[in-house]
Structures are given as structure tokens and as C-alpha cells.
Amino acid sequence: MSLAKDFTSAPQSAGGCRKKPELLAPAGNLEKLKMALIYGADAVYLGGKSFGLRAFGGNFSEKEMADGVQFAHARGKKVYVTLNIFPHNADLEKLPAYLSFLADIRVDGLLVSDLGVFSLARELAPALPLHISTQANNTNWATVNAWQKLGAERVVLARELSRAEIAEIRARSTVELEMFVHGAMCISYSGRCLLSSYFTGRDANRGACAQACRWRYGLVEERRPGEFFPIEEDERGTYIMNSKDLCLLPFLPDLCAMGLDSLKIEGRMKSVHYAASVTKVYREAIDAACDEAQPFDLRVSWLDELQKVSHRIYTSGFFSHVPDADDQIYASASYEQSTDFIGLVRDYDERTQMATVEQRNNMKVRQEIEIFQPTRETFCQRLEEMTDGMGAPLSVAAHAQQIVRMRMKEPVEEYAIVRRHREEW
């Protein structure tokens, strides 16, 4: 199990849950938004086609954003929109119209990092709550309180904070506090990086990061151009800036006892499978951490579930220790995962026990499959039979988003995920 060594000794808070924090999940597109909310998120954060830091994450058209807000509000959930680039003059030209649109569709908050964007939003869309992005390097209580005095309703803490520092900020501030608890870790300070811009011309601080930190690097001596020397003893080179992924699942009781307002999952560019799986794990874990009737038990099933989606080896980051060499991955930039997402349940007939499934990856009869559901328990079965939309038998569903029908041994929910373990393929 690819979990950091410090997870096994994660201390439990004895202070009880001061308040149940919001679970905030990433939404790279409309489908991911729906899956995150259906699988338990209280709120999602997303970006439009401009002004956010994930220019290649799919993102939302104005219609999709309006539809997403309507979907969330109908379920009592919230939507926050990212405007957290560090803009140049030209970037500001379309901002007033965009702010007006966001106010019209009644998003629940804006994530900003630039003081100029903050000022314009306060002036042009005064009804919209403003949240200060982690990109603003919020590492101390004085900064947090300064943003509150300017009118911010929430501050997202920098990832570079220890447990003790977070606790002190909470004790010395009254503004809402949000922090990342899961997902990719940027090697640069609070995500402010110039590598991508230098190497590719794509400015990470304006939403176009090429993830140059994940590339393979070697050492070149000035007088011997073309000769590459490994920095580590590995003939493939070394990924010296390739951080492990953050996972604070074992520390949730401590975070809840601190009185944090929102716990955030990173991953707008990750898959639908990731959005559903990680959200459900943290939903169940936060509920358990705030259940005063019984002690928090770090379930093996939660940890297993986090291995099934695309991820790097996990670490607790700055929260429990100062990151060192053990928090980097030197041999590869690739991800790990133990299952593949192969289908999404669109309908289920209780009388016939037949599920209508939209194919998302090659699936075939006689495979062992696993059904992961929004609220019901996960179960496994063999795929004994499969038909197409007209009822004709199929041995393989090989066409992208092909609609098939299959018998389920247990009832299944709409939006349940069908997956297979990689060794079954």
C-alpha cells in the first residue's frame, strides 16, 4: 500500500469535532461536478474558460456553468469559481463582463489571488463572497486577518503549513479557513512557478502550466554539451521535483477539532472516477470524525479505495513534518492505480435486475467487475452476460460510450461506477 510511513502513527485529536467542515471537491467539467456532488461533496470549485489556473482542465462554458450552479443549488450544494490567475493588463479587459455573468447565475463564491482582481470583484460584483486562493501565499495569521479586513469571507491556507501553524492561525482569526487535504503537491511555493513559462512559454501563473516539474532531468557539464549525467544513481535520470501526493485522511479528527471551515480535494484535471471515489472516501471519513458517539476508526476500506484511483504515492506533506527526500519520487513521473473505470450506470430495473451502463473502457463477458456506488456498499461479481441497446448479445463492449445492459447480483444506483481490477485485464 503506497502510504507514507508517518500515516501509521497519525495521532488522534482528543478535543472532539468543533464543527463539521465543508467537503469541497474539484469539478473539471459538468460531469465531474455532478459526480462529486452525488458522491457526497458539500461544494465544488471550478473554472471557466478564462481567469483560472487550469487552462487545460476542460473547464466550463457559460451555459455549462449556469447548468452546474442550478444542479448544485437544487441539492442544497454550493459552487465556487476560480479567478486566481495573476493577470496582466490585457487579461482584465473581459473581467467586468465575466463578473457580471457570475453574479447573474449566483455562484456562491469567487476564488481570487490578485489584489486587483479582488478590488474589481468587490466593486463590480459586491454580492459575491470572495475567497482568497492558496496562490496568495497565506502562511500566517496577520495575512489572513488582513484579507478579512479587506472584505474576504474565506482564506485558503498555503500548503506549506504545519499542524501547529494552522492551529495558531485558527486561534487568532475569525474568518473562514479552507485547506487542501488531498491531491497533487506543487513543488513551487504555493503553486507560484516560472519553470513552465521558461521552458515552454506557457505561464503557470496565468493557467497554462506544462508541469515541467514532473519531467525527467539530468546534469550537463558546461564543457561537455550533450553528455547527460544522472543526478541520482539511475540511468534513466531523475525526477528531482516530482512530489508525492498529499493525503491527510488519517488526520481528519485533528482538522475537525481545529475548527476549519472547508477541507479541499485537489484534482480538477483528474477523472470522473477520481472525483467520485476520493469524494466518497472523505465524505464518510469526515462524518465519522465528527460523530461523537464513537471513536474515529481509520478504515482499511478507505485507504484501499484511495489506491484504486490514479495517484502518486501519498504523503502528509507539511502538516506532520518538514518534507524531505522521502517526499519526492525520483524514478518516474507516472501515476499508480489498481482499478480501471469501465462503465457508468445510467439506469437500473429492479424487476429484471438489469442495469443500463455507458461504457467508458473496454469491457468483456466473464470479467470480474466491481460496482462502486454513491451511497450503497461496493460489491464484486462476474460479468456473466451483456447485450447492446437492441438486446443482441455482446461478448465485448469496445466502442466509446457504448450503451450496454448487464445483470447485477445486487441493486445498483444511478451514477454507480463499474470498474475492473488491473490484474483482471
Side-chain angles (χ1 to χ4, degrees):
M1 185 175 293
S2 56
L3 294 172
K5 58 187 178 183
D6 52 333
F7 280 22
T8 58
S9 58
Q12 303 300 308
S13 170
C17 185
R18 187 188 304 184
K19 62 182 297 185
K20 181 180 286 192
E22 169 189 84
L23 175 57
L24 178 56
N29 59 35
L30 187 56
E31 183 179 39
K32 294 174 190 178
L33 176 149
K34 292 179 179 179
M35 291 293 280
L37 295 177
I38 288 166
Y39 275 81
D42 298 305
V44 294
Y45 63 101
L46 56 86
K49 299 297 184 181
S50 303
F51 303 108
L53 284 177
R54 289 292 181 268
F56 305 105
N59 296 320
F60 287 68
S61 67
E62 290 191 352
K63 182 183 185 308
E64 289 169 335
M65 197 179 294
D67 290 346
V69 171
Q70 184 178 30
F71 183 91
H73 287 178
R75 290 157 178 78
K77 308 295 181 84
K78 295 182 177 181
V79 174
Y80 308 131
V81 176
T82 59
L83 283 82
N84 55 347
I85 66 167
F86 291 97
H88 291 227
N89 292 334
D91 297 316
L92 298 177
E93 294 176 6
K94 296 181 180 179
L95 184 59
Y98 189 48
L99 287 169
S100 177
F101 163 74
L102 295 175
D104 288 343
I105 66 171
R106 298 188 179 184
V107 301
D108 299 284
L110 306 179
L111 275 156
V112 303
S113 54
D114 178 77
L115 184 59
V117 173
F118 180 94
S119 178
L120 287 171
R122 289 273 291 167
E123 176 187 349
L124 301 174
L128 292 181
L130 296 180
H131 300 182
I132 307 306
S133 169
T134 189
Q135 299 290 128
N137 305 88
N138 305 305
T139 57
N140 62 77
W141 57 264
T143 295
V144 168
N145 289 340
W147 280 115
Q148 184 180 23
K149 288 177 182 177
L150 289 173
E153 291 199 10
R154 178 181 295 185
V155 176
V156 186
L157 298 176
R159 289 177 174 88
E160 297 85 7
L161 293 174
S162 68
R163 177 207 316 264
E165 290 173 314
I166 294 167
E168 183 177 3
I169 291 172
R170 177 69 292 169
R172 302 184 68 161
S173 63
T174 58
V175 71
E176 290 186 8
L177 296 179
E178 175 182 309
M179 67 173 285
F180 281 95
V181 294
H182 194 92
M185 294 274 283
C186 181
I187 195 67
S188 292
Y189 195 72
S190 290
R192 299 179 68 167
C193 180
L194 291 172
L195 285 177
S196 176
S197 181
Y198 285 152
F199 290 157
T200 70
R202 287 164 46 177
D203 189 345
N205 298 313
R206 297 168 80 183
C209 182
Q211 295 202 344
C213 57
R214 309 295 183 186
W215 297 353
R216 183 178 67 189
Y217 289 90
L219 179 67
V220 179
E221 200 275 326
E222 180 182 10
R223 297 182 182 179
R224 289 184 280 183
E227 294 187 42
F228 296 88
F229 302 93
I231 298 173
E232 292 290 316
E233 294 182 5
D234 183 341
E235 68 278 5
R236 295 172 297 175
T238 182
Y239 298 84
I240 57 175
M241 294 176 283
N242 189 35
S243 174
K244 294 179 180 179
D245 280 359
L246 178 68
C247 177
L248 294 184
L249 184 73
F251 301 91
L252 285 180
D254 215 13
L255 293 169
C256 292
M258 286 181 186
L260 293 165
D261 296 272
S262 183
L263 302 182
K264 186 174 190 175
I265 300 167
E266 183 276 338
R268 279 190 284 153
M269 296 178 69
K270 294 289 186 68
S271 68
V272 168
H273 184 197
Y274 177 96
S277 179
V278 177
T279 297
K280 185 178 180 182
V281 167
Y282 277 86
R283 172 76 281 147
E284 292 181 353
I286 289 171
D287 290 347
C290 293
D291 183 358
E292 297 183 0
Q294 52 188 346
F296 180 77
D297 177 30
L298 183 62
R299 299 177 197 169
V300 173
S301 62
W302 294 337
L303 300 176
D304 288 345
E305 186 60 41
L306 294 181
Q307 307 305 309
K308 293 178 180 180
V309 297
S310 178
H311 69 285
R312 299 180 184 90
I313 297 171
Y314 291 123
T315 175
S316 57
F318 290 82
F319 185 79
S320 63
H321 66 283
V322 177
D324 55 25
D326 289 337
D327 294 284
Q328 303 298 110
I329 305 171
Y330 299 104
S332 171
S334 62
Y335 292 87
E336 300 180 5
Q337 67 185 92
S338 62
T339 64
D340 287 317
F341 171 32
I342 60 174
L344 187 66
V345 174
R346 292 303 189 186
D347 189 36
Y348 176 71
D349 187 327
E350 293 189 2
R351 183 181 60 83
T352 63
Q353 298 181 303
M354 296 294 288
T356 301
V357 176
E358 182 181 302
Q359 185 259 35
R360 293 302 177 91
N361 206 329
N362 189 298
M363 67 175 87
K364 56 188 178 182
V365 172
R366 292 185 294 279
Q367 278 182 330
E368 288 291 330
I369 59 174
E370 185 174 78
I371 314 300
F372 177 72
Q373 309 191 68
T375 62
R376 291 176 174 165
E377 292 296 319
T378 301
F379 68 90
C380 298
Q381 69 171 61
R382 184 174 292 274
L383 179 51
E384 298 289 359
E385 60 179 302
M386 184 166 52
T387 63
D388 65 16
M390 302 300 293
L394 290 173
S395 59
V396 179
H399 305 298
Q401 295 187 283
Q402 182 177 2
I403 300 299
V404 301
R405 287 172 55 79
M406 61 183 67
R407 190 177 304 278
M408 296 291 180
K409 74 174 187 179
E410 296 182 22
V412 296
E413 299 172 278
E414 185 182 7
Y415 294 103
I417 284 174
V418 183
R419 60 194 182 191
R420 61 164 179 260
H421 285 269
R422 291 203 154 184
E423 60 267 24
E424 294 293 332
W425 184 241

